[in-house]
Amino acid sequence: MATTPVFVDVDTGLDDALALALLSRTPEVEIVGVGTVAGNVPVGFSTENTLRVLSWCGIEDIPVYRGASRPLVAPYQDAAHVHGGDGLGGAMLPPSSRNIADFAAPDALVRAAREYSGRLVLITLGPLTNIAIALSLYPELTEHIHGVSVMGGAYDVAGNITPVAEFNIYVDPDAANQVFAAPWREIVAVGLDVTHRTILPRRGWEEAAQATEPVAQLARKLLARTFGERDMTGFYLHDPLAAAIALDGSLVKTQKRRVAVVRDGEGRGRTTSTAGGDVAVATKVDAARFVRLFNERLALPHIDDTGAAARPE
Ligand code: BDR
Ligand code: CA
């Protein structure tokens, strides 16, 4: 089977970890590299978490490249309140025996884009700092990449870190502005408009208590704090949705818009959009199909639970 080469940029993070697990169970994909960035947690943690998650999923051969430790201009802010101080909800995954690769993440992305020119798919699940640096180093990057899927933004809905901003865009609004303005062949923006519709219900997690598959056990461990201590009813599948859409665009409906990001002040991180640009903004999602796919791939029981939307995180 012909596989799609994919480079993933992450700030692992609970839902980043689930997205990596999903990709590890997607045979149509060949992950050729993973870059890390400061986001949910500082980059040292997001890098260590990425190594641990990949090793847990049995992936020892995909290089992990450490990336930017802070946004381009804005002061750095983490999301430890959601992901826990370690970024993995205190899951205590065993350490990986692997080391990080030699190159920095932006450099590695440029190299991968050249090597898989015209075929590489880029999935970004954290602040866009590494991608902006890669574009600065090598503006031709856009010509080499087949398509980009960005988890970020709140287009026609409220934000999640401020009333108007989604977290990934808020953390590095300058980088986001540069990435949305670049002349990609194809770029899809997967924001809260759609990710807030894709919710993993707590009951699915509860009923997976006896799961034996490592990816299902990973989900159990990662979400123990969310569904236990924090008593949430559901968990937003932000990053897994952006990963899935990179491979199957039919999961969403999009509108072509021009996207700009407010860079500072009260509106910091707000994504403003007007009709007619080149960014495909996801406005509708087949949530039922996606959540079913996610559960199948992660060997989790599929539960239809409308109550999950009562208090999700
Ligand atoms: C995004 O922010 C992070 O906290 C999540 O990992 C996701 O990438 C959702 O706003
Ligand atoms: Ca993320």
Side-chain angles (χ1 to χ4, degrees):
M1 186 203 315
T3 54
T4 302
V6 165
F7 192 98
V8 198
D9 195 78
V10 293
D11 62 333
T12 314
L14 298 174
D15 59 329
D16 303 75
L18 293 174
L20 289 170
L22 175 63
L23 288 170
S24 80
R25 299 283 300 232
T26 304
E28 304 88 332
V29 161
E30 181 198 355
I31 307 176
V32 301
V34 181
T36 64
V37 66
N40 290 319
V41 282
V43 69
F45 282 100
S46 68
T47 306
E48 179 62 27
N49 292 346
T50 302
L51 289 167
R52 289 184 185 209
V53 166
L54 291 176
S55 288
W56 181 276
C57 295
I59 298 173
E60 302 291 358
D61 55 343
I62 295 171
V64 174
Y65 305 94
R66 183 176 155 131
S69 61
R70 56 168 187 251
L72 296 183
V73 180
Y76 170 55
Q77 181 175 325
D78 67 30
H81 59 292
V82 175
H83 299 262
D86 66 345
L88 293 182
M92 303 289 285
L93 299 184
S96 165
S97 57
R98 291 207 293 146
N99 293 319
I100 53 169
D102 281 346
F103 305 112
D107 194 7
L109 171 59
V110 168
R111 287 167 185 266
R114 284 180 170 149
E115 183 176 347
Y116 299 93
S117 185
R119 296 199 296 130
L120 188 71
V121 166
L122 171 62
I123 300 173
T124 75
L125 305 179
L128 289 157
T129 321
N130 287 336
I131 319 306
I133 294 171
L135 282 169
S136 168
L137 292 170
Y138 188 60
E140 300 83 0
L141 185 68
T142 53
E143 294 162 24
H144 292 275
I145 290 191
H146 177 76
V148 189
S149 177
V150 173
M151 194 287 124
Y155 298 89
D156 303 328
V157 297
N160 61 355
I161 182 78
T162 75
V164 295
E166 180 281 326
F167 178 78
N168 288 340
I169 304 299
Y170 176 86
V171 172
D172 198 338
D174 300 276
N177 234 342
Q178 293 176 19
V179 170
F180 285 128
W184 305 101
R185 295 178 180 200
E186 275 182 39
I187 178 168
V188 55
V190 183
L192 302 181
D193 308 63
V194 285
T195 66
H196 274 176
R197 301 193 176 281
T198 54
I199 300 173
L200 188 72
R202 174 199 183 123
R203 273 187 42 224
W205 175 84
E206 285 169 349
E207 292 192 17
Q210 308 307 325
T212 51
E213 292 263 0
V215 277
Q217 290 176 341
L218 178 68
R220 286 280 311 167
K221 281 176 174 290
L222 293 172
L223 299 178
R225 175 172 167 269
T226 303
F227 290 134
E229 195 184 310
R230 304 198 69 210
D231 198 25
M232 298 296 176
T233 53
F235 182 77
Y236 291 128
L237 296 170
H238 304 285
D239 291 345
L241 180 65
I245 283 172
L247 304 157
D248 180 0
S250 73
L251 286 165
V252 284
K253 288 209 171 10
T254 61
Q255 288 176 1
K256 283 290 183 76
R257 299 187 188 177
R258 184 181 173 281
V259 176
V261 180
V262 178
R263 288 158 55 200
D264 50 25
E266 261 186 33
R268 171 178 164 183
R270 178 175 179 195
T271 41
T272 60
S273 62
T274 45
D278 292 320
V279 178
V281 174
T283 53
K284 292 209 166 75
V285 58
D286 189 342
R289 180 155 73 93
F290 167 68
V291 177
R292 184 175 290 282
L293 172 90
F294 178 84
N295 284 328
E296 265 169 29
R297 295 265 158 108
L298 266 74
L300 294 169
H302 185 68
I303 310 281
D304 256 333
D305 183 359
T306 47
R311 216 172 47 262
E313 172 176 272

